[in-house]
Amino acid sequence: MLRNNIISAIVILVIVQIFSSCRAKDDHPGVEYAPNMYHSVPYEGLSQITDESEGKWLSSRIDEKGEYFNTNVNNPHNMNMREPVPGTVKRTEDGYLPYRIPKDSVELAGRILTNPLDSTTEVINQGKELYARFCVHCHGENGQGDGKVGVVFKGVPPYNVGRVKDLSEGYVFHVITMGKGRMGAHGSQVSYEDRWKIVRYVQTLQNQN
Amino acid sequence: MKVSSCCWRLTSLAFTLLFLLISNISFAQEAGDSEIPSDESVISSGETLFNNNCRVCHAVHEQVVGPALNEVYVRRPLPWLQEFIKNSQKVIQGGDEYAVNLYNQFNKTEMPSFDFSNEEVLSILAYVKSETEKGPAVAQTTDAAGGEGVAAQPGSTVDSGFVTAILIALLVVLVLILVVLGILISVVTKYIKQKSELNETDQEIVDQKFSLIKLAKSPGFIWIVTFVFTAIVLKTVIDGLLTVGVQAGYAPTQPIAFSHKLHAGDFEIDCNYCHTGVRISKNANIPSPNICMNCHSGINKVTGATESSKEIQKIYDAIENNEPIRWVRVHNLPDLAYFNHSQHVKVGGIECQTCHGPVETMEVVQQSTSLTMGWCIDCHRKTEINSQGNEYYDKLVELHSETSKDPMVVEDIGGLECAKCHY
């Protein structure tokens, strides 16, 4: 009698263990309910299942690969995301054309570019917000080059002294877009219009004492 | 005679040439050094120019981004220095051997050009010279800071060790008390038995033996055990069932040990800097290696480490081989649900942490909320619309406040309609 009891207790404990292992933890994503509804049939960006046998046990695919195999074999590196065709022009409502001044022509950019946005408080405040997102960790809150990353990265100039104080708006725009010297290009992260907003804010930092 | 006079002339010519040459060289070398002024006023204006323009990349006694400048006026002739400082790229492109070597030695780091007059360059050099002669500063602040950082860590481990030690000590004391109590009981029983002037009931109490088996077989005990056992089993099973299809707690190992704690926490890099899509599209996006390289072009090791980091090396490898880094996706809704970041972050003004938990403290990203439908709906029932400065909502808020006194929540704009989230 006692033995039976113990055996059934153990069986119950095993079942409990199985249920409690449904939980996601570390590398284990957890058990899925109706997994077919979770896994994407079309290619999904930012995720990629390269294992051809994944989900084989319930596969209904004609090519006999696993149901969850989700990889675009026609793309370089089997990526699911595609890069745009070279030379693609992004259409914006303001009709800005792609920026075409080459990286090393920063002096030229400094001479010919002008800011399409007026220096209103609204633009400057928006510029400040953007500056806090994209520049502050290197250039520091007041543009002194003392941001936390800037200190480790080294060589970040203050805006309001020396040569940098007198840089023109076009020059600063070009530096954000293409980078200069040790500073990387930020054109892929900040949109055209936002870059001009940042320029307006940087100008207030250049002119501080 | 003719021959000898010719010979003499030749030798004298050679000597004059040699003399001229030597004097020229020593003159040039002198010039680099002696033409540099040593007035206090010139040095102090040089100091300002140096601090404003050069200090970010140069120090006099140590290499920063560019070389240490001590004795540069001895190393190089003055005209070269003036030309190089005003426009270093011109000198390098002109093919000057020393400049090209230096440029390559510094990984082709470009020194910006400066619109200085010769006097200004001279004043900077005057400052460099006066600093060179002063010699390097003795106080090594960086070392002290590093030492502190190292010292702090053993401190914290000692702390936790201390706590365990206290716990163990307490346990020992408890066991000792138990033993003493046991001895006391047996001594007292013995003593009472010896007296043997007890009546019947007292005798029974004294003779009573504590029996585990008897206790285990008592119905009350069995009932309690069964109850506790069933309760635990039920709770675990239900908990387990509720986590089916919910991935909260998932924290996969990533191909590069990228730490949000270090980047977003310690170094305070804004989430938007890397997750660039978060305000403009459905997806937040994982940064591509070129964004990592904005910083890691110049940072290839952790502060204090002597060797460059293997993890950062993986970024360089990815770029060199033109291969994407295969990050493992953590948060992923099923295909049947639609979620848009810009609607929530830009329009709704919701912080990342509301939905993703304290990412800036995570070494490895973990899904910290359930991301179930109930979770979405719950928030849509409770959260007010962020209508400030958003003309789109002006009329809606007006209409809403005519019929209701409660603030307008997401539910009121249709946040519970199936088709908003399912397609």
Side-chain angles (χ1 to χ4, degrees), chain A residues 9 12-13 16 19-20 22-29 31-33 37-42 44-48 50 77 79 107 132-134 137 148-149 152-158 161-163 180 182 184-186 188-189, chain B residues 52-53 56-57 64-65 109 112-114 229 233 236-237 239-241 243-245 247-253 266-270 272-273 276 279 283 285-286 290-291 294-295 297-299 322-324 326 329 332 334-336:
Chain A
I12 291 176
L13 283 179
V16 166
F19 274 112
S20 60
C22 300
R23 174 168 285 127
K25 195 169 176 284
D26 298 342
D27 280 330
H28 171 53
V31 172
E32 280 163 348
Y33 156 73
M37 298 181 73
Y38 279 73
H39 287 267
S40 187
V41 177
E44 198 175 19
L46 299 178
S47 53
Q48 183 180 24
T50 44
H77 310 293
M79 281 196 298
E107 305 288 342
R133 274 183 217 141
F134 294 103
H137 49 271
K148 284 202 167 154
V149 176
V152 181
F153 193 78
K154 297 208 175 76
V156 187
V161 291
R163 186 184 62 91
K180 177 171 179 293
R182 298 176 67 248
H186 287 67
S188 69
Q189 285 153 279
Chain B
N52 289 352
N53 292 295
V56 291
C57 296
V64 187
V65 174
T109 309
S113 54
F114 294 92
F229 185 75
V233 165
T236 330
V237 168
D239 274 358
L241 280 176
T243 61
V244 171
Q247 304 197 329
Y250 182 39
T253 327
D266 299 349
F267 282 96
E268 293 170 10
I269 306 170
D270 197 283
N272 296 273
Y273 187 81
T276 48
R279 277 162 195 278
N283 281 100
N285 269 347
I286 304 296
N290 82 306
I291 293 181
N294 280 346
C295 297
S297 60
I299 299 171
N322 197 18
E323 279 226 11
R326 293 178 196 273
R329 181 144 180 189
N332 203 354
D335 225 14
L336 51 93

Side-chain angles (χ1 to χ4, degrees), chain B residues 224-287:
Chain B
I224 290 177
V225 167
T226 328
F227 178 77
V228 169
F229 185 75
T230 335
I232 291 176
V233 165
L234 273 179
K235 168 112 174 68
T236 330
V237 168
I238 291 173
D239 274 358
L241 280 176
L242 283 178
T243 61
V244 171
V246 178
Q247 304 197 329
Y250 182 39
T253 327
Q254 301 287 351
I256 297 180
F258 174 83
S259 160
H260 277 79
K261 181 172 177 297
L262 184 72
H263 288 86
D266 299 349
F267 282 96
E268 293 170 10
I269 306 170
D270 197 283
C271 313
N272 296 273
Y273 187 81
C274 293
H275 299 291
T276 48
V278 90
R279 277 162 195 278
I280 49 174
S281 79
K282 172 182 180 301
N283 281 100
N285 269 347
I286 304 296

Side-chain angles (χ1 to χ4, degrees), chain A residues 110-154:
Chain A
R111 261 180 282 123
I112 62 173
L113 293 180
T114 48
N115 201 332
L117 306 174
D118 289 330
S119 177
T120 59
T121 1
E122 199 196 342
V123 168
I124 289 177
N125 283 340
Q126 286 171 346
K128 182 173 181 181
E129 212 172 284
L130 291 160
Y131 178 85
R133 274 183 217 141
F134 294 103
C135 319
V136 123
H137 49 271
C138 284
H139 283 279
E141 198 156 349
N142 296 315
Q144 296 301 309
D146 54 356
K148 284 202 167 154
V149 176
V151 173
V152 181
F153 193 78
K154 297 208 175 76

Side-chain angles (χ1 to χ4, degrees), chain A:
Chain A
M1 218 274 289
L2 188 67
R3 210 216 210 128
N4 278 352
N5 272 352
I6 289 177
I7 289 177
S8 54
I10 289 174
V11 169
I12 291 176
L13 283 179
V14 168
I15 294 175
V16 166
Q17 184 54 39
I18 291 172
F19 274 112
S20 60
S21 69
C22 300
R23 174 168 285 127
K25 195 169 176 284
D26 298 342
D27 280 330
H28 171 53
V31 172
E32 280 163 348
Y33 156 73
N36 272 5
M37 298 181 73
Y38 279 73
H39 287 267
S40 187
V41 177
Y43 297 128
E44 198 175 19
L46 299 178
S47 53
Q48 183 180 24
I49 294 169
T50 44
D51 180 2
E52 290 198 2
S53 61
E54 187 116 345
K56 194 134 192 172
W57 55 286
L58 44 56
S59 183
S60 56
R61 283 170 70 141
I62 326 168
D63 60 6
E64 302 203 330
K65 287 185 180 134
E67 180 77 11
Y68 308 145
F69 174 67
N70 185 301
T71 287
N72 191 340
V73 290
N74 300 318
N75 274 350
H77 310 293
N78 297 349
M79 281 196 298
N80 282 347
M81 292 214 268
R82 287 201 94 140
E83 284 169 31
V85 178
T88 305
V89 177
K90 182 181 166 196
R91 281 187 60 176
T92 58
E93 46 187 275
D94 319 281
Y96 292 128
L97 282 173
Y99 190 68
R100 292 214 282 201
I101 300 179
K103 176 164 181 179
D104 54 2
S105 306
V106 58
E107 305 288 342
L108 174 74
R111 261 180 282 123
I112 62 173
L113 293 180
T114 48
N115 201 332
L117 306 174
D118 289 330
S119 177
T120 59
T121 1
E122 199 196 342
V123 168
I124 289 177
N125 283 340
Q126 286 171 346
K128 182 173 181 181
E129 212 172 284
L130 291 160
Y131 178 85
R133 274 183 217 141
F134 294 103
C135 319
V136 123
H137 49 271
C138 284
H139 283 279
E141 198 156 349
N142 296 315
Q144 296 301 309
D146 54 356
K148 284 202 167 154
V149 176
V151 173
V152 181
F153 193 78
K154 297 208 175 76
V156 187
Y159 286 137
N160 61 340
V161 291
R163 186 184 62 91
V164 182
K165 184 179 176 59
D166 304 318
L167 297 180
S168 71
E169 53 187 26
Y171 189 105
V172 177
F173 181 86
H174 187 88
V175 171
I176 305 176
T177 314
M178 294 297 193
K180 177 171 179 293
R182 298 176 67 248
M183 176 175 153
H186 287 67
S188 69
Q189 285 153 279
V190 202
S191 76
Y192 188 94
E193 198 178 338
D194 287 350
R195 273 175 260 156
W196 280 120
K197 287 180 186 161
I198 296 180
V199 171
R200 281 283 177 230
Y201 183 65
V202 169
Q203 283 177 319
T204 67
L205 294 178
Q206 283 175 311
N207 294 331
Q208 70 185 335
N209 291 313

